[in-house]
Amino acid sequence: MIETTRKSLPKVKAPEGGRLTDAMVAEFRESGVIILEDFVSIADCNSLRARARELVEAFDPAKAPSVFSTTDEEQLDDQYFIESGDEIRFFFEADAFDDSGHLRQSMEDSLNKMGHAMHDLDPVFDRFSHSAELAEIAKRIGFRDPGIIQSMYIFKPPGIGGEVLCHQDSTYIYTEPESCVGFWFALEDATLDNGCMHFIPGAHKLPLKKRNYRSGEYKLTTEVLDAEPWPEHLKVPAEASAGTLVIFDGRAPHMSGPNNSARSRHAYTLHVIDKVCRYPAENWLQRSEDLPLRGFV
Ligand code: FE2
């Protein structure tokens, strides 16, 4: 059981230049999370959303296995996912299609996410993802040599945006020693009714409960390391207005409910590891040598 009496998550106005104070860093260490309001301007949120829309419009759904697969769908899904670490690929919501295989909503409102290398492959996402402010934050929370290992654009569409069960990101982005930190940018308001994230404050001090790894060419296995259930009754919502940056430890358990509202909940995330740590070859996400791992600058 965790020793925490915290009923809220630390939330502050984003400090100038990413210069987190010692007190903010202490709050992050204690909670596993810190919420920085007004980190991104609304104009920058809107330009990232506009760029995402352009990429969606250029997406050919025939290339995604959820639409175009006739045999062994699971294998194709895994291959499409596993090979997306250095690509820009699109993943549908589970409820995107009706019984006859047609999209229920617009393409943008049918997608779960886009990933996992926009920050390296797309000039607009590249500019957003690399900044002196983010580099300063990374330094202050203890990174020696940060590397942005993946980017995701989360659509959480209205009506069909699915629930995400409690998990730790270090399950998937594992290093030795663990170093993963998530940088999550709200591009639209994330509220209780459109499926904002929730965290269990302080629960990043619990062990890593699962580890996901490649167990075959296109096969992934998730091994349970600790079967103790999460103390989910201690979860706290991380409501975030557009422009907010939520930074969280790779061990911080988090989840989000379904989006039953009529509004989307777009967010952009970066996952960062310390390049001084070992990055195992069995992690699902592997990048080609043509795409070296870069930091924030
Ligand atoms: Fe996550």
Side-chain angles (χ1 to χ4, degrees), residues 85-107:
D86 47 14
E87 301 278 348
I88 300 176
R89 291 193 173 177
F90 298 82
F91 301 87
F92 286 96
E93 282 290 345
D95 292 333
F97 300 94
D98 64 20
D99 291 342
S100 52
H102 297 109
L103 290 179
R104 296 173 200 275
Q105 307 187 148
S106 70
M107 180 63 77

Side-chain angles (χ1 to χ4, degrees), residues 50-106:
R51 181 59 185 153
R53 197 168 303 126
E54 287 175 359
L55 294 171
V56 169
E57 280 164 11
F59 161 55
D60 176 2
K63 293 190 176 147
S66 315
V67 181
F68 194 73
S69 70
T70 49
T71 56
D72 201 355
E73 192 164 336
E74 199 173 319
Q75 165 104 1
L76 278 174
D77 281 358
D78 284 349
Q79 181 175 355
Y80 182 77
F81 176 78
I82 284 173
E83 292 180 343
S84 69
D86 47 14
E87 301 278 348
I88 300 176
R89 291 193 173 177
F90 298 82
F91 301 87
F92 286 96
E93 282 290 345
D95 292 333
F97 300 94
D98 64 20
D99 291 342
S100 52
H102 297 109
L103 290 179
R104 296 173 200 275
Q105 307 187 148
S106 70

Side-chain angles (χ1 to χ4, degrees), residues 168-242:
Q168 296 162 302
D169 290 348
S170 286
T171 289
Y172 307 95
I173 303 170
Y174 179 77
T175 62
E176 288 175 347
E178 285 167 48
S179 62
C180 174
V181 172
F183 288 68
W184 185 100
F185 304 88
L187 303 179
E188 297 182 292
D189 294 346
T191 59
L192 284 172
D193 71 330
N194 70 358
C196 69
M197 289 196 291
H198 288 68
F199 291 88
I200 305 172
H204 63 302
K205 296 174 183 175
L206 291 169
L208 186 67
K209 288 193 187 288
K210 291 181 181 172
R211 168 124 189 250
N212 175 275
Y213 54 87
R214 292 177 182 233
S215 52
E217 191 182 9
Y218 297 123
K219 188 165 163 32
L220 298 173
T221 294
T222 302
E223 184 181 348
V224 175
L225 307 172
D226 172 14
E228 183 79 19
W230 293 113
E232 287 197 38
H233 61 287
L234 298 174
K235 75 178 181 186
V236 174
E239 289 187 280
S241 54

Side-chain angles (χ1 to χ4, degrees), residues 167 169 248 254:
H167 67 280
D169 290 348
F248 56 100
H254 57 286

